[in-house]
Amino acid sequence: MNIASDPKSLLSPEANQAAAHATATGILTIDLDAIVANWRKLEKTAVPAECAGVVKANAYGCGAEQVARALANAGCKTFFVATLDEAGVVRSAVPASAAIYVLDGFFQNSGDAYAKINCRPVIGELNELAEWDVFCRRSGWSGGAAIHIDTGMNRLGLTVTEAQGIIPRINAGDHGITLVMSHLVSAEQLNSPMNAKQLTTFREIASLFSSVPAALSNSSGIFLGSQYQFDLVRPGAALYGVNPTPEADNPMQPVVDLKARIVQIRNVERGETVGYGGTWTARRPTRLAIVSAGYADGYFRAASANDGTRGAEVVVAGKRCPIAGRVSMDLIAVDVTDLDRNAARRGHMVTLIGEGITVDELAHHFGTIGYEVLTSLGRRFARIYKGGEAKAEPPAPASEAPAADASSATVMPPPVPPETAPADKA
């Protein structure tokens, strides 16, 4: 085994871009215009229902502030997050008139925080509703709240019987409830009997909430038909390019592009093994590109290859190349033997998502769903935001004030990982 020499290494345009951010292991590009286009498509599909935007978990890893601002500029008026901290980030990016719902709900001592940033709890338990009522009476707060009714998820929400019990309160007026909602269990499965069952249950109970707007559909639910759309729909993953109709072609535009740098080119002889455990054996003299990404960056170990199983692929110099051996914490080995010898060089960038490799494809290799792929990516990557009238700032030394970037693609330093948020609510 030897390290291949590379005396005339020339950086590609992508590598030159990365070199300007030398501390980054790679570049995660988020296309805000694509997110807006996806929202507009979902909005058109759901007309006349209002189309909200779910931006929890740092907008599924894409940047809550940037995404919320872009959606608000496009006309989105209602947003959903998981936590109060997330609501604070979104409130700073959207107009004061925008409604922000917090899916994790209300706690006894959280009323002042809700009032301070003008957001609304999603209430799914009777004690929670009582605590919210007490706060509203004592403070005079009239910012509104949603009622979540469980129609089959068995996760959050009032039971149907509990919801029926508060109907007199709704009929009495001045109730402060601005939305009644539930959540579909199997919306991505067109023929799931749960869909019709939940629809019937929710339609019956929502009809008792006089004059209160109703919401049932997540991303996939929007495509089940107009009967599922009610007054408001709550797309999440579809905004970010995840296929909401996995039984058909993806109607959404791709949003993220992920590139990582080649840090070394190596040659291994036939019969030598690669990576931890020696689970992948070279069947020929092999040229490897060692890429600076791994499971610490959200590129899951499940994408590894061994002697009996082909793993994920990456795009190198415009061609798909297979992973060789196990994905490790910080590095991936990629078999580039079939490329022209000078096509892959130290310092070049390879594509992990993009150029035909979708989030959903990667999720298949990871043994998970696109939601988890997106929310796991990029803890050490520099971020570039394209379009969306983003007002982000490029990284700068701590001793200097950051300078504004007037270009169409703005760069952000690697983000602080968001707190874990409940999965699959949208």
Side-chain angles (χ1 to χ4, degrees), residues 282-364:
R283 299 181 180 181
R284 60 180 176 172
T286 300
R287 186 172 173 84
L288 296 174
I290 310 302
V291 178
S292 60
Y295 58 76
D297 303 297
Y299 198 91
F300 290 12
R301 194 168 180 263
S304 301
N306 58 46
D307 287 338
T309 305
R310 188 177 178 92
E313 296 176 328
V314 306
V315 176
V316 185
K319 296 182 180 180
R320 287 192 175 222
C321 297
I323 287 176
R326 287 181 178 167
V327 175
S328 55
M329 183 180 290
D330 316 300
L331 298 167
I332 303 167
V334 178
D335 184 349
V336 295
T337 310
D338 292 334
L339 299 182
D340 292 340
R341 187 165 184 83
N342 293 324
R345 293 177 176 270
R346 177 174 173 267
H348 285 188
M349 302 295 280
V350 306
T351 299
L352 308 183
I353 301 175
E355 297 186 64
I357 298 177
T358 67
V359 169
D360 293 300
E361 177 185 334
L362 205 55
H364 172 75

Side-chain angles (χ1 to χ4, degrees), residues 114 126 132 207 211 247 249 274 278 326 356 360 393 404 408-409:
Y114 273 96
L126 291 179
W132 180 72
S207 67
S211 302
E247 298 176 8
D249 292 340
V274 175
R326 287 181 178 167
D360 293 300
E393 297 175 338
S408 61

Side-chain angles (χ1 to χ4, degrees), residues 129-333:
L129 179 60
E131 291 167 354
W132 180 72
D133 277 338
V134 168
F135 169 75
C136 291
R137 286 197 303 270
R138 289 179 176 175
S139 67
W141 171 247
S142 58
I147 293 293
H148 186 169
I149 301 170
D150 179 29
T151 56
M153 180 71 78
N154 286 313
R155 190 176 59 177
L156 292 176
L158 276 67
T159 67
V160 171
T161 300
E162 289 172 335
Q164 291 170 335
I166 67 171
I167 296 304
R169 179 183 184 279
I170 301 298
N171 292 338
D174 195 25
H175 47 73
I177 304 304
T178 53
L179 185 71
V180 57
M181 58 179 278
S182 189
H183 190 59
L184 292 165
V185 174
S186 305
E188 73 284 357
Q189 301 172 26
L190 293 178
N191 296 319
S192 171
M194 277 297 294
N195 294 329
K197 182 178 179 181
Q198 286 188 273
L199 175 63
T200 298
T201 301
F202 183 67
R203 182 187 287 130
E204 291 175 355
I205 189 65
S207 67
L208 302 178
F209 282 72
S210 178
S211 302
V212 178
L216 177 63
S217 287
N218 56 1
S219 292
S220 296
I222 293 171
F223 294 89
L224 291 176
S226 59
Q227 68 270 34
Y228 287 84
Q229 293 166 3
F230 291 88
D231 302 295
L232 179 140
V233 295
R234 311 184 310 269
L239 294 174
Y240 311 103
V242 173
N243 188 357
T245 57
E247 298 176 8
D249 292 340
N250 191 352
M252 315 317 299
Q253 293 187 20
V255 167
V256 300
D257 179 278
L258 178 61
K259 290 180 168 59
R261 194 195 314 262
I262 297 174
V263 295
Q264 193 175 102
I265 300 292
R266 302 183 70 86
N267 292 322
V268 299
E269 299 300 324
R270 183 177 183 274
E272 291 190 274
T273 62
V274 175
Y276 282 116
T279 59
W280 188 93
T281 306
R283 299 181 180 181
R284 60 180 176 172
T286 300
R287 186 172 173 84
L288 296 174
I290 310 302
V291 178
S292 60
Y295 58 76
D297 303 297
Y299 198 91
F300 290 12
R301 194 168 180 263
S304 301
N306 58 46
D307 287 338
T309 305
R310 188 177 178 92
E313 296 176 328
V314 306
V315 176
V316 185
K319 296 182 180 180
R320 287 192 175 222
C321 297
I323 287 176
R326 287 181 178 167
V327 175
S328 55
M329 183 180 290
D330 316 300
L331 298 167
I332 303 167

Side-chain angles (χ1 to χ4, degrees), residues 32 35 39 52-72 76 78-83 85-91 93-94 99-101 103 234-237 239-240 375 418 421-422 425-426:
L32 296 173
I35 293 175
W39 180 79
V54 180
V55 291
K56 64 180 181 177
N58 197 30
Y60 289 57
C62 291
E65 182 179 354
Q66 292 82 6
V67 171
R69 181 180 295 115
L71 290 176
C76 184
T78 303
F79 298 86
F80 288 82
V81 296
T83 69
D85 285 345
E86 292 177 352
V89 172
V90 173
R91 175 53 72 202
V94 301
I100 302 174
Y101 286 96
L103 292 162
R234 311 184 310 269
L239 294 174
Y240 311 103
T375 56
K425 262 193 170 178

